[in-house]
């Protein structure tokens, strides 16, 4: 029983650490991106590289092969007279991890962007499976809570950032 308790505690600590790391990553990338006057594909590629560096050793994005699956999405939602509108969205990583916030016009809790303004949204998803030992069929036979998702929504500081100077990297 003591070994089982130790294993469960270790997995909970890893899950919490992953969640905090990804929250920090989303917030830092959103903060940096919000300071740009304009975003070019090279800037967005730099933001994805920064996400990977900030999140390390946790994956912020990966190609979906190997042992880890992760995805980072960056987008801008603009406010129009008829409601929110997705201005643009770029992502890097495992396309199988579907975004719930970035890349969509509908923001959480019915958040409406004021007409003529915009918000920058960064979402980081990691398919880490917490409680994998406890979810094994020999114990409870249930799956864990699914991927860790976190996002940050910030208002651009100097420009609306409603377009990028080229295609997504």
């Amino acid at each position: 029983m003591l070994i089982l308790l130790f294993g469960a505690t270790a997995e909970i600590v890893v899950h919490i650490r992953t969640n905090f790391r990804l929250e920090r990553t989303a917030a830092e990338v959103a903060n940096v991106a919000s300071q740009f006057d304009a975003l070019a594909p090279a800037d967005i590629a730099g933001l994805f590289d920064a996400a990977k560096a900030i999140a390390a050793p946790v994956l912020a994005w990966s190609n979906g092969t190997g042992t880890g699956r992760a995805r980072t999405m960056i987008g801008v939602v603009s406010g129009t007279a008829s409601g929110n509108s997705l201005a643009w969205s770029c992502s890097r990583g495992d396309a199988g991890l579907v975004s719930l916030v970035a890349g969509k016009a509908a923001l959480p809790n019915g958040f409406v962007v004021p007409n003529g303004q915009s918000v920058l949204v960064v979402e980081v998803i990691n398919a880490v499976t917490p409680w994998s030992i406890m979810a094994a069929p020999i114990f409870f036979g249930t799956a864990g809570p699914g991927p860790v998702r976190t996002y940050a929504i910030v208002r651009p500081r100097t420009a609306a950032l409603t377009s990028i100077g080229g295609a997504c990297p």
Side-chain angles (χ1 to χ4, degrees):
M1 253 337 245
L2 189 58
I3 291 172
L4 183 62
L5 181 62
F6 177 73
T9 301
E11 288 206 26
I12 289 171
V13 167
V14 168
H15 179 66
I16 291 171
R17 183 175 153 259
T18 299
N19 194 35
F20 284 143
R21 179 76 64 167
L22 295 181
E23 282 181 4
R24 179 175 168 249
T25 300
E28 291 294 331
V29 169
N31 181 40
V32 169
S34 71
Q35 297 176 39
F36 279 86
D37 290 328
L39 284 171
D43 299 325
I44 295 171
L47 291 171
F48 286 129
D49 291 340
K52 196 168 205 172
I54 293 167
V58 175
L59 291 175
W61 56 267
S62 68
N63 60 6
T65 61
T67 58
R69 296 178 57 216
R71 183 176 191 191
T72 297
M73 294 193 65
I74 302 170
V76 169
V77 176
S78 299
T80 64
S82 59
N84 293 350
S85 172
L86 180 64
W88 61 268
S89 177
C90 293
S91 67
R92 185 172 285 179
D94 187 347
L97 296 172
V98 179
S99 171
L100 296 179
V101 181
K104 308 214 181 286
L107 296 175
N109 300 323
F111 181 71
V112 177
V113 180
N115 190 14
Q117 296 184 20
S118 62
V119 293
L120 183 79
V121 182
V122 176
E123 184 174 14
V124 184
I125 310 163
N126 186 301
V128 66
T129 307
W131 306 299
S132 59
I133 293 174
M134 300 302 288
I138 58 174
F139 289 105
F140 301 113
T142 59
V148 175
R149 299 173 178 275
T150 185
Y151 62 91
I153 300 173
V154 297
R155 185 168 179 225
R157 295 181 184 163
T158 59
L161 299 179
T162 55
S163 64
I164 55 177
C168 289

